[in-house]
Structures are given as C-alpha cells and as structure tokens.
Amino acid sequence: MPALLRLGQTAIGFVMVALFGFTLLASGIVSAQQAEPESYRLGTGDRISVNVAGSPEFDTITRIREDGAIGYPYLGTVQVGGLTLEEAENRIERQLLAAKLLRSPQVTVTVEQYLSRQVTVLGQVKNPQRYGLSGPSTVLDLIAEAGGRREDGADYVILIRRENGQSKRHILTIDALTAGNAVGTRVQADDVVIVPRMNVFYIEGAVQKSGMYRLEENMTVMQAISVGGGLSPRGSYSRIEIKRHENDGQIATLGAELDDILKPGDLLHVKERIF
C-alpha cells in the first residue's frame, strides 16, 4: 500500500476517534445539564454548592436557611430562596461585582441535596424514606427511586395528599399508573406514597400445593384452586369451604361455589371425595 494512502487512512482514523470522543463528551454534558431541571426553585433546607471559575476561595457548600438566605464568603449572606439555579448564579455574580471582589465572576450553582420539596415513600418498597423532588416526578418514579416494590408488595398504591386543607386518600392501581390514567400520577411536595402488603389467600386440604398465595382482583374459588396446582386425586369440587374473618373478629365457615369471589385473608379448604 502506498505510504501516502496509509497516511491518509491514519489521519481519517484520528478524526473518527476525535469525533467519537467529542460525541461522548457532548452526551455527558447534555446528561449533566438535564440532571437538574432549569425550572426547579431553591427552597429552605436545600444544600447547594457554589463554584466560581478560577477563584476557589469563593467556593462553598451551604444549606439554605428558613429566611431563604445562605452564608457566603466575603459577602455575608445572599438571598437565593425561590430562585432558579440560573437566577441564583446571576444574583451571586452581581453581588460579587457590586462588592468589587471579582471583575468578571462566572458562578455555577448546583443542588447537592433536595430538602425543600419532599415526598415520603412507605410500605413494601426496598428503601422506605423521604425523597427530594428535583422536578416533575410520577408515583412510579418515586417507587423506583425507593428501590422498587418488594415481592410482597400489593398491585395498588395509596397516595395521601392534602387537598383543601384535608388529607385525602387515593387508591391507584399499578396498571393505571403504568398506563398514565390514574388521578395523581404526578406527585406533589409533602405527598405520602404507600405500597401496602399484597392481599393474600390461603388454600389447604385436597389440593396439589397448599400454602399462601397472592389474591388477584375478583379471583374466584376456581382460579384459586388452579393457583394451588389443582385438586389432588381425592379432591372434590363440590366439597369446598371458605373460612373468613368477620368484622366482629369471629371466623365464619361458608360453603363455597366455584364462581364465588374470594376476599383478602380467606382460607380455602378443599375436602376429599366421600367415595
């Protein structure tokens, strides 16, 4: 191969590598910029980092006080509560200029910890606790941030929200949330999201697999028997009982038909054939 052609291919290779590297860098920059929504407004308790290009003596990490101010080197205090990140950067730059501390300050403000707008996630999730809202989030976003539902988590979520001064409870199914059709899909500050323990039923007697199982919505006796592996060779579809906890705390024993709907906590007892 001629030396000139090899040189040309090498040069093209360097250009391709450079372009690829630039693309990755650009992607990283875009991701970093999108990490904090531009519309987010700083609030009480938020922990922010202030960096001034080329002047590390003006860098600081601080928490926003209840009056919306932060303590800042050489300036004393700066009011940033209620401002977007860009507005906070501009205000600090103006005050540095007005105090004649820097000629052309370039300030960057980032949020280290969101505390002014929080949502509580409780129940059957892997990491139940309070989470900060940095921007628009859905109930499913918060459940994912909490590590997702545990295996014993229910197929619905309870959302508690203050409306007109009163706490209101909303029951949201996972299917509706996934489809985006549920009221309250977007969470608000001070919401409480609860993933209850799943509803269960129990099955015993002349079935293949006795035990505890998840109770699906409108599950029938026949469906429950199928979940239990079906009847054993001696099992009878006509000799089935349901033991159910009543409101007064007593346990009632009920005869069951195959199309009866089970309730949470029901014990399904399948008897053997007489002959």
Side-chain angles (χ1 to χ4, degrees), residues 60-74:
T60 188
I61 296 178
T62 184
R63 196 174 294 282
I64 300 175
R65 303 188 316 223
E66 289 187 4
D67 60 0
I70 59 169
Y72 191 76
Y74 306 104

Side-chain angles (χ1 to χ4, degrees), residues 85-212:
L85 298 182
E86 183 178 0
E87 290 170 346
E89 291 166 353
N90 292 337
R91 176 165 292 184
I92 295 171
E93 288 174 355
R94 289 196 302 269
Q95 292 194 212
L96 288 171
L97 284 170
K100 299 181 179 180
L101 293 171
L102 292 171
R103 292 184 178 179
S104 56
Q106 296 181 356
V107 176
T108 301
V109 177
T110 55
V111 181
E112 300 288 328
Q113 185 179 25
Y114 296 93
L115 285 182
S116 61
R117 301 175 67 243
Q118 290 192 307
V119 172
T120 303
V121 185
L122 300 173
Q124 306 310 304
V125 293
K126 293 180 180 178
N127 300 301
Q129 61 183 43
R130 289 176 66 83
Y131 291 90
L133 289 178
S134 59
S137 298
T138 66
V139 171
L140 292 182
D141 291 334
L142 268 294
I143 292 174
E145 189 171 356
R149 286 186 301 157
R150 296 166 54 116
E151 291 185 0
D152 57 351
D155 294 328
Y156 65 94
V157 172
I158 299 172
L159 173 66
I160 301 177
R161 173 177 294 167
R162 291 197 65 80
E163 299 175 5
N164 300 321
Q166 296 183 340
S167 292
K168 296 291 183 65
R169 293 166 60 92
H170 301 276
I171 307 298
L172 313 174
T173 67
I174 296 298
D175 287 343
L177 289 170
T178 302
N181 297 327
V183 176
T185 295
R186 288 285 180 91
V187 291
Q188 303 173 7
D190 300 323
D191 279 353
V192 178
V193 176
I194 304 173
V195 179
R197 192 179 301 276
M198 68 178 181
N199 291 326
V200 299
F201 72 94
Y202 305 87
I203 188 168
E204 66 175 11
V207 292
Q208 298 290 346
K209 296 181 293 183
S210 298
M212 180 183 74

